[in-house]
Amino acid sequence: MSLNIVLFGATGMVGSRIAAEAVQRGHRVTAVSRSGASPVPGVTAAAADLADLDRVAQVVAGHDAVASAAAPPRDGSDPKAPFLKLNQTLVAGVRRAGVGRLVVVGGAGSLEVAPGQALADQPGFPDAYLGEALAHRDVLTYLRTVDDLDWTYISPAAEIAPGERTGEFRIGGDRLMTDADGNSRISAEDYAIAFVDEVERDGHARSRMSVAY
């Protein structure tokens, strides 16, 4: 069944691949970014700022599902409070528009390496990525308080980068998944497959899932 999907953060590394994957499967995609640029052929491009509640609700209205690949601010400031506020505005806009399904690109830093021990809290976690990891974790904590939307938060592996579309990966939950060599990786292309699969199947309602090789 073809879905009418609105995707925020559509021009980013992950968002553009989600857009491409969804279009390839025959879904109708409204690709939203601040610039209003079209990330891939076949989408309907729209301009919106996630901080603008009225505009978010307007763009979301009439869609079957809302997807967000928005990333925390990367201007050197602490991204936690601004990113949380953006996601709260997104949720408020989805509610106002009356759309029930929300799927969010999450982070890997909140995945557990042992019960109660998150990856981001481990010694040696790179300082360059810590603020972003904690910002994503705050969004997950917030989403877990949202009980009136059918949301899913999808964490990638610790390393996600452009690569091959293989279609071969594992789906997990709150634990960090690693391969036989101890590496935690996923290509952005394979992450996009898992993401669109979840939009279609709705198999992890009001929970976090993870994707890795």
Short mmCIF file of all heavy atoms in Angstrom, two decimals, residues 20 29 50 78 81 97 110 126 171 179 212:
data_model
loop_
_atom_site.label_atom_id
_atom_site.label_comp_id
_atom_site.label_asym_id
_atom_site.label_seq_id
_atom_site.Cartn_x
_atom_site.Cartn_y
_atom_site.Cartn_z
N ALA A 20 14.82 8.67 -0.65
CA ALA A 20 15.05 7.86 -1.85
C ALA A 20 14.46 6.47 -1.70
O ALA A 20 13.85 5.94 -2.65
CB ALA A 20 16.55 7.78 -2.14
N VAL A 29 6.14 11.14 -1.01
CA VAL A 29 6.97 11.75 0.03
C VAL A 29 6.96 13.27 -0.11
O VAL A 29 7.27 13.80 -1.18
CB VAL A 29 8.42 11.23 -0.05
CG1 VAL A 29 9.29 11.92 0.99
CG2 VAL A 29 8.46 9.72 0.13
N LEU A 50 11.32 23.53 11.90
CA LEU A 50 10.72 22.73 12.97
C LEU A 50 10.38 23.55 14.20
O LEU A 50 9.61 23.10 15.05
CB LEU A 50 11.67 21.59 13.37
CG LEU A 50 11.40 20.22 12.74
CD1 LEU A 50 12.43 19.21 13.22
CD2 LEU A 50 10.00 19.73 13.07
N ASP A 78 25.66 23.97 23.10
CA ASP A 78 25.07 22.79 23.70
C ASP A 78 23.76 22.50 22.98
O ASP A 78 22.82 23.31 23.04
CB ASP A 78 24.82 23.02 25.19
CG ASP A 78 24.34 21.77 25.91
OD1 ASP A 78 23.87 20.82 25.24
OD2 ASP A 78 24.42 21.72 27.15
N ALA A 81 19.03 21.34 24.83
CA ALA A 81 17.77 22.06 25.01
C ALA A 81 17.13 22.45 23.68
O ALA A 81 15.92 22.23 23.48
CB ALA A 81 17.97 23.29 25.90
N ALA A 97 -2.28 18.31 13.82
CA ALA A 97 -2.69 17.90 12.48
C ALA A 97 -3.53 16.63 12.50
O ALA A 97 -4.12 16.26 11.48
CB ALA A 97 -1.46 17.70 11.60
N SER A 110 22.58 6.35 23.37
CA SER A 110 21.73 5.89 24.47
C SER A 110 21.58 4.38 24.50
O SER A 110 20.97 3.82 25.42
CB SER A 110 20.35 6.53 24.38
OG SER A 110 19.75 6.25 23.12
N PRO A 126 33.82 9.69 22.45
CA PRO A 126 34.41 10.91 21.85
C PRO A 126 33.68 12.19 22.27
O PRO A 126 32.46 12.29 22.13
CB PRO A 126 34.25 10.67 20.35
CG PRO A 126 34.13 9.19 20.20
CD PRO A 126 33.42 8.72 21.42
N ILE A 171 17.88 -6.31 13.43
CA ILE A 171 17.03 -5.38 14.17
C ILE A 171 17.09 -5.75 15.64
O ILE A 171 16.95 -6.93 16.01
CB ILE A 171 15.57 -5.46 13.68
CG1 ILE A 171 15.47 -5.05 12.21
CG2 ILE A 171 14.66 -4.59 14.54
CD1 ILE A 171 15.84 -3.62 11.94
N ASP A 179 29.32 -6.65 15.65
CA ASP A 179 29.59 -7.84 14.84
C ASP A 179 30.63 -8.72 15.53
O ASP A 179 31.02 -8.47 16.68
CB ASP A 179 30.01 -7.45 13.43
CG ASP A 179 31.30 -6.62 13.39
OD1 ASP A 179 32.08 -6.65 14.37
OD2 ASP A 179 31.54 -5.94 12.37
N ALA A 212 21.71 -2.65 12.99
CA ALA A 212 23.16 -2.81 12.84
C ALA A 212 23.45 -4.08 12.05
O ALA A 212 22.59 -4.94 11.91
CB ALA A 212 23.85 -2.88 14.21
#
